[in-house]
Amino acid sequence: MPELDLALAQKVLDEQPFSRLVQSRITACGGGEAVLEVDIRDELRQQNGFLHGGVLAYAADNTLTYAAATVLGIAVLTSGFSIQYVRPAVGRTLVARASVVHGGRRQAVCRCDLYVADEAGVETLCAVAQGTVLTAQ
């Protein structure tokens, strides 16, 4: 099984139809950590103009899984996760940063902090998530 690096992570992400729809990208992946970004566009907003919570949950789920895959291998699945929305996501780019809190042979517990970056690159925390990722075997 190949080791997960940034190039392979982006290739796998590009194979997900929903990831192509939201135009997400992996900007870092390795050593128990991963970063996923999504440019905020009008079609990803909810009725009040904020980034839709479903997009935040998508980003958390995928970023948690990519972080875990750097320690467990690429054949992993999210077992479950929870997300807490801290404030409305208003900005230019969603930045999800996940890291492995504890990794074993078959599962990893991970945390993801989700930020929105404005035009100047200043980031504001908008949500936090925690989840468990299992090997698919």
Side-chain angles (χ1 to χ4, degrees), residues 13-129:
L13 189 71
D14 290 340
E15 292 172 356
Q16 299 174 6
F18 190 77
S19 293
R20 288 194 309 269
L21 179 70
V22 298
Q23 300 174 14
S24 60
R25 60 193 173 275
I26 298 283
T27 58
C29 190
E33 298 182 343
V35 179
L36 182 141
E37 296 183 2
V38 176
D39 292 328
I40 298 173
R41 309 181 317 270
D42 283 342
E43 54 269 27
L44 301 179
R45 298 179 200 278
Q46 45 88 295
Q47 71 278 6
N48 296 309
F50 309 134
L51 182 62
H52 194 284
V55 177
L56 289 161
Y58 151 82
D61 180 18
N62 258 337
T63 312
L64 290 164
T65 304
Y66 277 95
T70 68
V71 298
L72 296 175
I74 62 173
V76 294
L77 297 168
T78 304
S79 173
F81 75 98
S82 65
I83 186 166
Q84 301 297 314
Y85 300 101
V86 176
R87 68 180 45 88
V90 177
R92 183 177 194 168
T93 306
L94 173 64
V95 180
R97 290 191 181 93
S99 60
V100 174
V101 175
H102 176 76
R105 285 188 346 224
R106 302 221 42 220
Q107 79 173 19
V109 175
C110 304
R111 174 191 168 101
C112 183
D113 294 325
L114 297 108
Y115 301 87
V116 283
D118 65 16
E119 292 75 20
V122 176
E123 295 182 355
T124 303
L125 183 70
C126 59
V128 294

